Coordinates of all heavy atoms in Angstrom, one line a residue:
C18 N 11.7 19.2 15.2 CA 12.7 20.1 14.7 C 13.8 19.4 14.0 O 14.3 18.4 14.5 CB 13.2 21.0 15.9 SG 14.6 22.1 15.3
M20 N 16.7 21.0 12.6 CA 17.8 21.9 12.4 C 19.1 21.2 12.0 O 19.4 20.1 12.6 CB 18.0 22.8 13.6 CG 19.0 23.9 13.4 SD 19.3 24.8 14.9 CE 20.5 26.0 14.4
I21 N 19.9 21.7 11.1 CA 21.2 21.1 10.8 C 22.0 20.9 12.0 O 22.0 21.7 13.0 CB 22.0 21.9 9.8 CG1 22.1 23.4 10.2 CG2 21.4 21.9 8.4 CD1 23.2 24.2 9.5
G22 N 22.7 19.7 12.0 CA 23.6 19.4 13.2 C 22.9 18.9 14.4 O 23.6 18.6 15.4
T23 N 21.6 18.6 14.3 CA 20.9 18.2 15.5 C 20.4 16.7 15.2 O 20.3 16.2 14.1 CB 19.6 19.0 15.8 OG1 18.7 18.8 14.7 CG2 19.9 20.5 15.9
P24 N 20.1 16.0 16.4 CA 19.7 14.6 16.1 C 18.4 14.5 15.3 O 18.2 13.6 14.5 CB 19.3 14.1 17.6 CG 20.2 15.0 18.4 CD 20.3 16.3 17.8
P52 N 27.7 23.5 11.4 CA 27.8 23.7 12.9 C 26.7 22.9 13.6 O 25.6 22.8 13.0 CB 27.6 25.2 13.1 CG 27.2 25.8 11.9 CD 27.3 24.8 10.8
A53 N 27.0 22.3 14.7 CA 26.0 21.6 15.6 C 25.8 22.6 16.8 O 26.6 22.5 17.7 CB 26.4 20.3 16.0
W54 N 24.8 23.4 16.7 CA 24.6 24.5 17.7 C 23.3 24.2 18.5 O 22.3 23.8 18.0 CB 24.4 25.8 17.0 CG 24.2 27.0 17.8 CD1 25.1 27.8 18.4 CD2 22.9 27.5 18.2 NE1 24.5 28.8 19.2 CE2 23.1 28.6 19.0 CE3 21.6 27.1 17.9 CZ2 22.1 29.4 19.6 CZ3 20.5 27.9 18.5 CH2 20.9 29.0 19.3
S55 N 23.4 24.5 19.8 CA 22.2 24.5 20.6 C 22.3 25.5 21.8 O 23.5 25.8 22.1 CB 21.9 23.1 21.2 OG 23.0 22.8 22.1
A56 N 21.2 26.0 22.2 CA 21.3 26.9 23.4 C 20.1 26.7 24.3 O 19.0 27.1 23.9 CB 21.3 28.3 22.9
E57 N 20.2 25.9 25.3 CA 19.1 25.6 26.3 C 19.0 26.8 27.2 O 20.0 27.3 27.7 CB 19.4 24.3 27.1 CG 19.6 23.2 26.2 CD 18.4 22.5 25.6 OE1 17.4 22.3 26.4 OE2 18.3 22.3 24.4
K58 N 17.8 27.2 27.6 CA 17.5 28.0 28.8 C 18.4 29.3 28.8 O 19.0 29.6 29.7 CB 17.8 27.3 30.0 CG 16.9 26.1 30.3 CD 17.0 25.5 31.7 CE 16.4 24.2 32.0 NZ 17.4 23.1 31.7
T59 N 18.2 30.1 27.7 CA 18.8 31.4 27.7 C 18.0 32.2 28.8 O 16.8 32.1 28.9 CB 18.6 32.1 26.4 OG1 19.5 31.4 25.4 CG2 19.0 33.5 26.3
Q60 N 18.8 33.0 29.6 CA 18.2 33.8 30.6 C 18.6 35.3 30.5 O 19.8 35.7 30.3 CB 18.6 33.2 32.0 CG 18.0 31.9 32.3 CD 18.4 31.3 33.5 OE1 19.6 31.0 33.7 NE2 17.4 31.1 34.5
L61 N 17.6 36.2 30.8 CA 17.7 37.6 30.8 C 17.1 38.2 32.0 O 16.0 37.8 32.4 CB 17.2 38.1 29.5 CG 17.1 39.7 29.4 CD1 18.5 40.3 29.2 CD2 16.2 40.1 28.2
A70 N 13.8 35.7 26.7 CA 14.7 36.0 25.6 C 15.1 34.7 25.0 O 15.1 33.6 25.6 CB 16.0 36.6 26.1
Y71 N 15.4 34.7 23.6 CA 15.8 33.4 23.0 C 17.1 33.7 22.2 O 17.2 34.7 21.5 CB 14.7 32.7 22.2 CG 13.7 33.5 21.7 CD1 13.7 34.0 20.3 CD2 12.5 33.9 22.5 CE1 12.7 34.8 19.8 CE2 11.5 34.7 21.9 CZ 11.6 35.1 20.7 OH 10.6 35.9 20.1
A72 N 18.0 32.8 22.4 CA 19.3 33.0 21.7 C 19.1 33.0 20.2 O 18.4 32.2 19.7 CB 20.2 31.8 22.1
N73 N 19.8 34.0 19.6 CA 19.8 34.0 18.1 C 20.6 32.8 17.6 O 21.6 32.4 18.2 CB 20.4 35.2 17.6 CG 19.4 36.4 17.7 OD1 18.2 36.3 17.6 ND2 20.0 37.6 17.9
A74 N 20.1 32.2 16.6 CA 20.7 31.0 16.0 C 22.2 31.2 15.8 O 22.6 32.2 15.2 CB 20.0 30.5 14.7
F75 N 23.0 30.2 16.3 CA 24.4 30.2 16.1 C 25.2 31.3 17.0 O 26.4 31.4 16.9 CB 24.9 30.4 14.6 CG 24.2 29.4 13.7 CD1 23.3 29.9 12.7 CD2 24.5 28.1 13.8 CE1 22.6 28.9 11.9 CE2 23.9 27.1 13.0 CZ 22.9 27.6 12.0
S76 N 24.5 31.9 18.0 CA 25.1 32.8 18.9 C 26.2 32.1 19.7 O 25.9 31.0 20.2 CB 24.0 33.5 19.8 OG 24.7 34.1 20.9
P77 N 27.3 32.8 20.0 CA 28.2 32.2 20.9 C 27.6 32.4 22.3 O 26.7 33.1 22.6 CB 29.4 33.2 20.8 CG 29.2 34.0 19.6 CD 27.8 34.0 19.3
A78 N 28.3 31.6 23.3 CA 27.8 31.6 24.7 C 28.2 32.9 25.2 O 29.2 33.6 24.8 CB 28.4 30.5 25.5
C79 N 27.5 33.4 26.4 CA 27.9 34.5 27.1 C 27.3 34.5 28.5 O 26.3 33.9 28.7 CB 27.7 35.9 26.4 SG 26.1 36.5 26.5
H152 N 7.7 34.4 17.0 CA 8.8 33.8 17.7 C 9.9 33.7 16.6 O 10.4 32.6 16.3 CB 8.5 32.5 18.2 CG 9.3 32.0 19.3 ND1 10.5 31.3 19.1 CD2 9.3 32.1 20.7 CE1 11.1 31.0 20.3 NE2 10.3 31.5 21.2
R154 N 13.8 34.9 15.2 CA 15.1 35.4 15.6 C 15.6 36.4 14.5 O 15.6 36.2 13.3 CB 16.1 34.3 15.7 CG 15.9 33.5 17.0 CD 16.1 32.0 16.8 NE 16.2 31.4 18.1 CZ 15.2 30.8 18.8 NH1 14.0 30.7 18.1 NH2 15.4 30.2 19.9
I156 N 18.7 37.8 14.2 CA 20.0 37.4 13.6 C 20.2 35.9 13.6 O 20.0 35.2 14.5 CB 21.2 38.0 14.5 CG1 21.0 39.6 14.5 CG2 22.5 37.6 13.9 CD1 22.0 40.3 15.4
I163 N 29.4 38.0 17.8 CA 28.9 38.6 19.0 C 27.7 37.9 19.6 O 26.8 37.7 18.9 CB 28.6 40.1 18.8 CG1 29.8 40.9 18.1 CG2 28.1 40.8 20.1 CD1 29.5 42.2 17.7
P164 N 27.7 37.6 20.9 CA 26.6 36.9 21.5 C 25.3 37.7 21.3 O 25.3 39.0 21.5 CB 26.9 36.8 23.0 CG 28.4 36.9 23.0 CD 28.8 37.8 21.9
S165 N 24.2 37.1 20.9 CA 23.0 37.9 20.7 C 21.8 37.1 21.0 O 21.7 35.9 20.8 CB 23.0 38.4 19.2 OG 22.7 37.4 18.3
V166 N 20.7 37.8 21.4 CA 19.4 37.2 21.6 C 18.3 38.0 21.0 O 18.5 39.2 20.7 CB 19.1 37.1 23.2 CG1 20.0 36.1 23.9 CG2 19.0 38.4 23.8
T167 N 17.2 37.4 20.8 CA 16.0 38.2 20.4 C 15.0 38.2 21.5 O 14.9 37.2 22.2 CB 15.4 37.7 19.1 OG1 16.2 37.8 18.0 CG2 14.0 38.4 18.8
L186 N 22.7 38.8 31.2 CA 22.3 37.9 30.1 C 23.2 36.7 30.2 O 24.5 36.8 30.2 CB 22.5 38.7 28.8 CG 22.3 37.8 27.5 CD1 20.8 37.4 27.4 CD2 22.6 38.6 26.2
H187 N 22.5 35.5 30.1 CA 23.2 34.3 30.1 C 22.8 33.4 28.9 O 21.6 33.0 28.8 CB 23.0 33.5 31.4 CG 23.7 32.2 31.5 ND1 23.3 31.1 32.2 CD2 25.0 31.8 30.9 CE1 24.2 30.1 32.0 NE2 25.2 30.5 31.3
I188 N 23.7 33.2 28.0 CA 23.4 32.4 26.8 C 24.3 31.1 27.0 O 25.5 31.2 26.7 CB 23.7 33.0 25.5 CG1 23.1 34.4 25.4 CG2 23.3 32.2 24.3 CD1 23.4 35.2 24.1
P189 N 23.7 30.0 27.4 CA 24.6 28.8 27.6 C 24.6 28.0 26.3 O 24.3 26.8 26.2 CB 23.8 28.0 28.7 CG 22.3 28.4 28.4 CD 22.3 29.8 27.8
A190 N 25.1 28.7 25.2 CA 25.2 28.0 23.9 C 26.3 27.1 23.8 O 27.3 27.3 24.5 CB 25.3 29.1 22.8
Q191 N 26.1 26.0 23.0 CA 27.2 25.1 22.6 C 27.3 25.0 21.1 O 26.3 24.9 20.5 CB 27.0 23.7 23.2 CG 26.9 23.7 24.8 CD 26.6 22.4 25.3 OE1 26.2 21.5 24.6 NE2 27.0 22.2 26.6
C192 N 28.5 24.9 20.6 CA 28.6 24.8 19.2 C 29.8 23.9 18.9 O 30.9 24.2 19.3 CB 28.8 26.1 18.5 SG 28.5 26.0 16.7
T193 N 29.6 22.8 18.2 CA 30.6 21.9 17.8 C 30.6 21.6 16.3 O 29.6 22.1 15.6 CB 30.5 20.5 18.6 OG1 29.3 20.0 18.3 CG2 30.7 20.7 20.1
K221 N 14.3 25.5 10.7 CA 15.0 26.5 11.6 C 14.9 25.9 13.0 O 14.3 24.9 13.2 CB 14.3 27.8 11.5 CG 14.4 28.5 10.1 CD 14.8 29.9 10.2 CE 15.0 30.5 8.8 NZ 15.7 31.7 8.7
V222 N 15.6 26.6 13.9 CA 15.6 26.1 15.3 C 14.2 26.2 15.9 O 13.4 27.0 15.5 CB 16.6 27.0 16.1 CG1 16.2 28.5 16.1 CG2 16.8 26.5 17.5
D223 N 13.9 25.4 16.8 CA 12.6 25.2 17.5 C 11.3 25.4 16.7 O 10.4 26.1 17.2 CB 12.7 26.0 18.8 CG 12.5 27.5 18.8 OD1 12.2 28.0 17.7 OD2 12.7 28.1 19.8
Y264 N 19.6 27.9 6.6 CA 20.6 28.7 7.1 C 21.8 28.8 6.1 O 22.9 29.3 6.5 CB 21.1 28.2 8.4 CG 20.2 28.3 9.5 CD1 19.7 27.2 10.1 CD2 19.7 29.5 10.0 CE1 18.8 27.2 11.2 CE2 18.7 29.6 11.0 CZ 18.3 28.4 11.6 OH 17.4 28.5 12.7

Side-chain angles (χ1 to χ4, degrees):
C18 178
M20 183 186 183
I21 50 166
T23 66
W54 177 90
S55 64
E57 305 281 311
K58 298 194 194 89
T59 290
Q60 289 177 296
L61 171 69
Y71 25 98
N73 284 327
F75 308 110
S76 167
C79 81
H152 201 274
R154 280 143 167 99
I156 298 173
I163 302 171
S165 72
V166 296
T167 294
L186 179 63
H187 183 209
I188 309 176
Q191 297 184 339
C192 195
T193 56
K221 295 225 179 202
V222 62
D223 77 9
Y264 293 116

